[in-house]
Amino acid sequence: MSETTTTVRSIGDSTDTGASDVQQMSMQQALNRALDEVLAENPKTVIFGEDCGRLGGVFRITDGLQAKHGEERVFDTPLAESGILGMSVGLAMAGFHPIPEVQFDGFAYPAINQIVCQIARMNYRSRGTLPMPITLRVPSFGGIRAPEHHGESLEALFAHVPGLKVVSPSNPHDAYHLLKYAATRPDPVIFMEPKSRYWQKGPVDVAHAAHGQATHDAGVDDGGSLTGARVVRDGRHLTLVAWGAMVSRCLQVAELAAEDGIDVEVLDLRWLKPIDAEALARSVGKTRRAVVVHEAPLTSGLGAEVAQLITQSCFETLKAPVERITGFDVPYPSGDLEDEYIPNIDRILFGIQRVLEYRRG
Amino acid sequence: MAEISFPLPDLGEGLIEATVLDWLVEPGQQVERNQPIVELETTKSALELPSPQAGKVVRIHGAPGDTINVGEPLIVFEVPDDTAGIVGTVPKDEAPKRRVRLSAVLDED
């Protein structure tokens, strides 16, 4: 990802005087608009899934798209995830660019065979003659008081599979640009939408992918700012690494830590495969302390991978072992208990405190 | 605001259509969940259909005497954009609360 990390910048880092087109919209609206534009720009794009067509999706992400683009390009499928993804394989082999939806994270399990054994491998198997330009949208993570199978974090499962890319936006701006970017990739991308953030509004600059401004060089491909991690808050003492819905929580924690004189940097990883190791090295190389936060269970979660990447690049200067604040090693609980499961502010602050207190030897 | 269309459900076992007898609501009206919205007649019975949700009525389909097929639009509601999906609830944006305070001596070597 070496070409990707030079344009990382923060919200508000604005020197732009040019043609920004900033609009307030929710992540729902941003995703809907992105899909609408992808359909208009690429006649090979097809969108389908359970309730994606006439209803417009249970979260209204595909709202209005069937009426506008027709039943042959936006359509409903049976309740059969292996069929949804199997059909995606066939469509991709025939030259289409499918954007299937698995209605909820936990419904991806019946489709794992198609995802792992077909979608991820077809390009390898065919020596590059059958690429799989599939963007699989998965409303993901918890936080909406939903029943079982509706609050799971599958990033480590997907990230472990060679041939898949995995990305999760934390805000409407990134949702819009990352989805449009993913939909133009020749490789399969698992697009994990943080469903608890669907309704949160934020500024979206539809003209420029880099946050808060046009790139300094108008000729730069905006894709450069879309393939790596992003520093969403600068800090000196410690780096919080997060993705999806945990980014906004970490920003809250950073504000609270500032009250105690601790200056926390927040790194939104965005891409969970491949991980932007250079951004991790740069951030933790500066702060020398790191806490990784994710909703998924602890054991073999992506936090372990992040901790290893940090250790690899920053071992000599780290002040303390990388801490992980995560969900627990239990099935995702029902809605009443999810506040106890998802890393909350106090658990993250405890993690920060443990890192701050650590002394060698 | 978003629109949600409610199609005529199968009101019996394998019924394919129903006839509108009388609408009990009109466009522009705010309705509550389970409030009767329309009187329908099928080949089996006449009945009042309760509203599947709260919202403002945008459109109604079919005048009294018209027949509507199962699955065709019956009524369209307008709902706020932040209405949750079919599953779950919209999380409240609450001010962050804390009990833990940080205390650290930062040796800036």
Side-chain angles (χ1 to χ4, degrees):
Chain A
M1 315 246 336
S2 57
E3 78 287 5
T4 69
T5 50
T6 52
T7 55
V8 171
R9 61 188 73 208
S10 298
I11 290 173
D13 178 14
S14 178
T15 53
D16 176 51
T17 54
S20 291
D21 182 6
V22 179
Q23 304 173 21
Q24 285 288 323
M25 61 179 93
S26 65
M27 187 181 287
Q28 258 177 341
Q29 293 166 325
L31 292 166
N32 180 262
R33 175 164 176 161
L35 291 174
D36 184 21
E37 292 176 6
V38 170
L39 282 164
E41 289 162 11
N42 181 357
K44 289 294 187 183
T45 300
V46 283
I47 292 175
F48 48 91
E50 295 158 9
D51 298 316
C52 280
R54 195 170 67 182
L55 181 72
V58 293
F59 291 108
R60 319 224 57 74
I61 308 302
T62 53
D63 191 26
L65 299 181
Q66 186 181 66
K68 183 168 176 182
H69 298 280
E71 292 183 1
E72 293 192 340
R73 301 191 64 200
V74 182
F75 51 91
D76 292 317
T77 66
L79 302 184
E81 286 76 13
S82 64
I84 294 171
L85 275 299
M87 184 166 63
S88 301
V89 175
L91 284 165
M93 291 171 74
F96 287 91
H97 290 216
I99 308 182
E101 176 187 289
V102 166
Q103 195 168 63
F104 284 91
D105 36 67
F107 303 169
Y109 296 123
I112 287 289
N113 179 60
Q114 294 295 340
I115 297 170
V116 175
C117 297
Q118 309 300 339
I119 291 175
R121 295 184 187 181
M122 193 62 78
N123 197 34
Y124 294 85
R125 188 185 288 145
S126 66
R127 298 188 185 184
T129 60
L130 291 173
M132 292 280 113
I134 296 168
T135 301
L136 171 57
R137 293 182 40 251
V138 187
S140 292
F141 315 118
I144 65 162
R145 301 280 187 269
E148 193 190 358
H149 307 308
H150 296 68
E152 310 198 4
S153 304
L154 305 184
E155 65 268 29
L157 282 179
F158 291 133
H160 192 62
V161 178
L164 298 180
K165 292 185 168 67
V166 185
V167 66
S168 184
S170 68
N171 59 75
H173 179 89
D174 279 353
Y176 171 82
H177 286 287
L178 288 171
L179 183 52
K180 290 196 75 175
Y181 179 76
T184 60
R185 295 300 91 196
D187 298 316
V189 177
I190 311 294
F191 194 88
M192 300 178 68
E193 300 169 2
K195 62 176 87 81
S196 68
R197 306 298 295 172
Y198 271 149
W199 300 274
Q200 198 66 40
K201 284 195 163 67
V204 177
D205 186 342
V206 295
H208 299 102
H211 277 256
Q213 70 30 73
T215 47
H216 53 280
D217 174 357
V220 168
D221 177 4
D222 273 342
S225 64
L226 290 173
T227 52
R230 191 170 74 88
V231 175
V232 291
R233 187 186 196 279
D234 284 319
R236 290 179 298 139
H237 296 139
L238 181 143
T239 301
L240 283 176
V241 183
W243 50 90
M246 287 298 96
V247 173
S248 57
R249 181 150 298 173
C250 285
L251 284 168
Q252 291 180 326
V253 168
E255 292 303 313
L256 296 171
E259 296 173 1
D260 302 335
I262 306 300
D263 192 13
V264 171
E265 180 149 309
V266 179
L267 185 69
D268 180 354
L269 211 50
R270 304 203 299 183
W271 288 89
L272 308 177
K273 175 80 169 286
I275 292 175
D276 188 349
E278 290 185 17
L280 288 169
R282 194 164 45 247
S283 176
V284 183
K286 176 181 68 175
T287 63
R288 297 176 294 173
R289 302 174 183 89
V291 176
V292 194
V293 180
H294 60 64
E295 295 184 38
L298 175 75
T299 302
S300 297
L302 213 62
E305 187 71 25
V306 171
Q308 158 58 12
L309 289 169
I310 292 170
T311 305
Q312 191 76 39
S313 58
C314 304
F315 182 70
E316 300 291 339
T317 55
L318 271 178
K319 290 281 195 181
V322 178
E323 189 77 31
R324 292 176 289 167
I325 304 297
T326 70
F328 299 106
D329 284 353
V330 297
Y332 191 84
S334 63
D336 289 348
L337 289 171
E338 69 182 357
D339 286 346
E340 311 303 319
Y341 175 89
I342 297 174
N344 60 28
I345 284 170
D346 282 331
R347 283 176 60 205
I348 299 169
L349 285 168
F350 268 127
I352 292 174
Q353 179 66 27
R354 278 198 291 277
V355 169
L356 292 171
E357 283 177 359
Y358 186 87
R359 292 293 180 272
R360 288 178 189 275
Chain B
M1 304 293 273
E3 289 189 356
I4 290 182
S5 177
F6 177 66
L8 179 69
D10 180 354
L11 298 167
E13 291 177 356
L15 295 176
I16 59 168
E17 61 183 22
T19 302
V20 175
L21 293 179
D22 197 14
W23 278 99
L24 306 175
V25 296
E26 56 187 17
Q29 186 177 340
Q30 185 73 29
V31 298
E32 298 304 318
R33 183 176 155 86
N34 288 333
Q35 176 182 338
I37 52 173
V38 64
E39 288 177 13
L40 297 168
E41 186 175 54
T42 70
T43 52
K44 286 190 176 174
S45 65
L47 52 86
E48 281 185 355
L49 194 67
S51 179
Q53 64 180 86
K56 190 170 119 185
V57 178
V58 179
R59 284 185 297 282
I60 56 178
H61 293 272
D66 288 354
T67 297
I68 297 178
N69 294 321
V70 169
E72 287 182 350
L74 179 67
I75 186 167
V76 178
F77 300 98
E78 187 178 76
V79 297
D81 284 333
D82 63 354
T83 301
I86 285 166
V87 176
T89 58
V90 179
K92 293 193 194 80
D93 233 7
E94 293 170 340
K97 291 195 205 91
R98 72 184 304 181
R99 286 173 295 177
V100 177
R101 299 214 74 95
L102 301 175
S103 59
V105 179
L106 294 165
D107 52 342
E108 300 288 352
D109 51 32

